[in-house]
Amino acid sequence: MKQSRAYPGTCADKGTRAKVRTPPRQLTRAAQTRRTALWFVLPAVLFFLLLSAYPLLRVLWQSVRYANLVNPSISGFAGLDNFRTVLDDDDFLPALGNTALWTALSVTGEYALGLISALALNANVRGRAFFRAAIIVPWVIPIVVAGLTWTWMLTPEYGVLNLWLVQAGLIHAPIAWLGQTGTALLAVTLVNIWRSFPFYTISLLAALQAIPADLHEAAVIDGAGSWMRFRVITLPHLRVVSMTLIVIHIVWTAVNFDFIWVMTQGGPLNSSETLPIMIYRYALQNFDVGAGCALATMMMGFMASVFFMQYYGMRRIASSQAGTA
C-alpha cells in the first residue's frame, strides 16, 4: 500500500511536527527547591568573590610583583624578592616574637579568665542574671574607645590607674606603662584580655549549661569531689568548645591591628610592634605594597596551617568520641 507524503508547509507536515515535539520537562519538587536555594545563595557567593576571594588573590599576586604606591615605574615580576626583603628586615624577628608573645599571653589569659568567670556564673548565686548581663559590657565597647580610655588611665601624669596603685602602696611613683619598652606590650595585652574574655565566658557558660545535671549528681553519690567532677565530667564536655574558641582567637589575636596601633603604634622603639603593624608600615608608610603583601601572604599561610590543624584535631576528637560510644 502506497503511503502519502507530507510536503513542507502543508497541513500534514504541521501535524507531523506537532506529533514529534516533546513537551517541556517538569522539574521535580526537589529540583525546584534546589534552584530556589541557589538563587538565594547567589548574592552571598557574589559578595564572597568580590570582598574576600578577589582581595585574597590580589594579595597573593602582588606578593610576587614589584609595586609602589608613589612610584608607578616600579613594577614587574619580583619572584621571591619581596619575601627576601621581609626576611632580611632587622625588625622582622622582633616583630615575630612580639606577635607570638602577644597571641600566646592574650589567648591564655582570655581562656583562663573566661573559664573561671563561666564557672562562677554557672553556680547558683544571688544576682546571677545581673552579672551575666554585666560581664558582656567590655566586649561590646569598640576597640578604639577601649584603647583610648585605657591609654588615658595608664598615663603617668594624670592616669587614674597610676593614682590608685600609688595610693594602695603597690608602686612608689607613677609608671609610664605604655612608654617603656619592658611594659608597653604587656600593658596592651592585659587590656586586650580585659576586653575579649567575656566572649569566652558566654561561650563556655553555654557549654556548661548543656552538661546533664544527672552526671554531677551521680558523681556526688559516688563520692567524687569538686575537682574530680571538674576534671572527669566538666572538662571533657568543654573540649570541643574550648578548641574552637582557642583556634578562632589565635587567628583573631595574631592579626589584630587596632589595639596596638591605638595604644602604642608599635612603640616605644618598636618594642610592641607585631606583624600586622609591619604590614601597615610597609604598605602605607614605606609605600612598598609588594613587601606588605609578601608578609601578609606569610601570615595567611600560618593561619591556614592553624585552621587545618584545628580541623583534623576536631575530626580526631569526634572519631575518638564515636569509638568510645
Side-chain angles (χ1 to χ4, degrees), residues 210-320:
I211 300 176
D214 53 356
L215 292 179
H216 285 282
E217 294 171 359
V220 171
I221 294 173
D222 291 339
S226 301
W227 170 247
M228 179 65 74
R229 297 199 304 273
F230 174 75
R231 188 171 61 85
V232 177
I233 299 175
T234 304
L235 275 184
H237 282 83
L238 297 179
R239 188 163 48 183
V240 175
V241 176
S242 299
M243 194 166 180
T244 304
L245 280 172
I246 289 172
V247 170
I248 289 175
H249 275 262
I250 285 176
V251 175
W252 285 356
T253 308
V255 302
N256 185 283
F257 170 82
D258 320 52
F259 247 130
I260 297 178
W261 186 256
V262 167
M263 297 187 69
T264 65
Q265 297 188 0
L269 300 176
N270 297 335
S271 61
S272 61
E273 185 178 69
T274 56
L275 294 181
I277 301 292
M278 277 195 73
I279 294 174
Y280 176 82
R281 294 196 193 284
Y282 274 131
L284 297 179
Q285 291 186 342
N286 301 333
F287 309 116
D288 189 350
V289 177
C293 291
L295 183 51
T297 301
M298 294 165 66
M299 289 197 69
M300 281 193 291
F302 170 73
M303 299 306 164
S305 303
V306 172
F307 170 78
F308 283 116
M309 288 173 60
Q310 187 262 350
Y311 175 74
Y312 286 108
M314 296 286 288
R315 287 189 60 182
R316 191 170 181 178
I317 291 175
S319 300
S320 63

Side-chain angles (χ1 to χ4, degrees), residues 26-58:
Q26 295 293 327
L27 294 177
T28 62
R29 187 178 183 84
Q32 292 178 351
T33 304
R34 190 162 49 249
R35 176 181 290 183
T36 305
L38 289 175
W39 278 108
F40 278 104
V41 170
L42 183 60
V45 173
L46 293 177
F47 272 109
F48 169 77
L49 293 175
L50 182 65
L51 300 179
S52 297
Y54 173 73
L56 180 64
L57 295 176
R58 185 74 177 172

Side-chain angles (χ1 to χ4, degrees), residues 56-67:
L56 180 64
L57 295 176
R58 185 74 177 172
V59 167
L60 294 176
W61 174 245
Q62 291 290 354
S63 67
V64 294
R65 293 185 61 81
Y66 295 112

